Amino acid sequence: MNQSVSGCVVDETTGEPLTSPDVRLYRIGVSGATCNALNEHGYFSFPDLPEGEYSLAFFDGNYVPRYERLILAHGEIMPSLHIALRRGGFLSGRIFDEKQQPPERCWFTLIRAGERRGESGYISDSGDHKVSNDGTFCSPPLPPARYFLRFAGILRKPADAAPTEPRHLAMQQRIFDFLYPDAQEISDATGFDVELGKMISGLQIQIPCPIWHTVRGKVTGDLPEGPHRINVMFSRTMGTIDGVGGSGGPKVEQDGTFEHQVQSGDYAVEVWEFAPPGLDGRTKVLRKLAATNIRVTDADLDGIEIHIPS
């Protein structure tokens, strides 16, 4: 016998019914979602549902998103749900370069204390968010917490730039990635205390000039033989549980040496084995061979050794 999920949605503070949130029901393991509009009393209903595990989601531009995990079992009746949504807080402002110009492209990440996969630490609150073309940004509705801002993107090409170097190198020099104001670790960054239903606005974020350094090293130990390709991959770490993106990495030469350019910061450096490209030009990851951590400060870094165990 099929079942139903129903309930009402209210404002957590006032208790007033809400009619604006989107309500979506996802069946775990099945793609797609079923949407439902709230009536004038904030009531929703999803009838005739088969047994299984579900996720019920509530979205609104003014309220913190909420998710409910549900299990519909044979012979059990799901009681009516009472969903109280909290008004979110917001962070907004503008980001610009040293000439007061917005970047060509930019994304920002909100980082806060939390848990991920049973581990406590600093996590990304809601993924990456795009900055507008004019450099303005605004967060989604946030629960009360202290937030740190990470920005990554590409500076605008200077109007008077002369083609003195290859295009890919000129592009690289315009790439930036930093924790506000210009920190390498969360412990050195500036946090913002977001309160329930409040807006922190008018933030003025100047992009620090990107400075690149060369990392040189060697992979030693039991290197695989044959046509497989070995690459050293660099992933930025900023004191967070969640990864904050990688910068790719160079191919390891026959003598085990490698060379790569990065900005200042802490990195997880991993040696990966890839299969030769297929007929479609794509390659496949085979296995991770070794890893280490490095810190790049204000100069090139030489003599890194990554040992592959036997």
Side-chain angles (χ1 to χ4, degrees):
M1 178 179 178
N2 288 350
Q3 300 190 43
S4 64
V5 172
S6 62
C8 64
V9 182
V10 301
D11 183 294
E12 181 183 72
T13 302
T14 66
E16 293 294 321
L18 299 177
T19 61
S20 58
D22 292 329
V23 186
R24 302 176 192 175
L25 184 68
Y26 303 85
R27 188 175 182 186
I28 306 302
V30 179
S31 61
T34 303
C35 300
N36 192 283
L38 296 170
N39 68 13
E40 66 272 19
H41 304 294
Y43 181 82
F44 66 90
S45 179
F46 294 93
D48 199 27
L49 299 173
E51 297 176 16
E53 192 171 358
Y54 292 82
S55 178
L56 186 61
F58 303 85
F59 302 102
D60 186 281
N62 295 311
Y63 291 86
V64 178
R66 179 164 170 177
Y67 305 89
E68 294 287 333
R69 200 68 173 257
L70 308 173
I71 297 178
L72 300 184
H74 178 71
E76 295 184 8
I77 298 177
M78 176 65 65
S80 181
L81 301 173
H82 182 83
I83 305 297
L85 299 185
R86 289 190 294 173
R87 282 195 171 272
F90 296 86
L91 281 169
S92 68
R94 175 175 173 263
I95 182 171
F96 49 86
D97 63 19
E98 57 186 8
K99 295 182 179 180
Q100 299 294 302
Q101 294 295 312
E104 181 177 309
R105 293 195 296 274
C106 183
W107 291 262
F108 69 98
T109 308
L110 297 143
I111 299 172
R112 62 172 173 83
E115 292 189 0
R116 192 77 81 214
R117 298 175 294 276
E119 184 179 356
S120 297
Y122 287 98
I123 62 172
S124 168
D125 177 80
S126 50
D128 297 331
H129 306 280
K130 196 173 188 302
V131 173
S132 299
N133 291 335
D134 62 359
T136 58
F137 63 91
C138 184
S139 73
L142 302 171
R146 170 165 289 188
Y147 292 87
F148 301 88
L149 286 168
R150 174 212 173 206
F151 293 90
I154 302 174
L155 296 170
R156 289 184 183 272
K157 183 179 180 181
D160 56 352
T164 57
E165 55 187 357
R167 186 174 181 276
H168 71 282
L169 293 179
M171 172 66 81
Q172 181 192 59
Q173 300 306 314
R174 291 159 49 204
I175 295 174
F176 61 88
D177 185 355
F178 67 96
L179 280 166
Y180 178 80
D182 186 14
Q184 309 303 334
E185 283 272 351
I186 289 291
S187 58
D188 299 322
T190 298
F192 299 91
D193 294 318
V194 174
E195 299 179 16
L196 189 70
K198 302 293 185 181
M199 167 79 81
I200 298 177
S201 60
L203 299 178
Q204 299 293 303
I205 311 294
Q206 182 166 345
I207 302 167
C209 180
I211 299 175
W212 292 80
H213 305 291
T214 300
V215 176
R216 302 179 184 89
K218 187 173 184 177
V219 178
T220 62
D222 190 15
L223 280 165
E225 298 180 357
H228 295 174
R229 191 179 70 193
I230 310 301
N231 279 59
V232 179
M233 311 300 290
F234 287 72
S235 298
R236 187 82 178 268
T237 61
M238 294 179 171
T240 62
I241 298 175
D242 297 328
V244 291
S247 61
K251 181 178 181 294
V252 175
E253 302 298 332
Q254 288 187 347
D255 62 356
T257 59
F258 64 88
E259 182 176 306
H260 190 53
Q261 284 195 314
V262 298
Q263 297 182 36
S264 297
D266 293 326
Y267 292 84
V269 186
E270 300 175 338
V271 181
W272 285 86
E273 181 180 8
F274 293 82
L279 296 177
D280 59 359
R282 297 182 180 180
T283 188
K284 183 174 68 174
V285 176
L286 295 179
R287 55 176 173 153
K288 183 170 73 173
L289 300 172
T292 191
N293 296 300
I294 65 171
R295 168 167 289 186
V296 180
T297 53
D298 55 358
D300 293 350
L301 187 60
D302 293 302
I304 298 300
E305 181 178 335
I306 309 176
H307 185 74
I308 300 176
S310 301

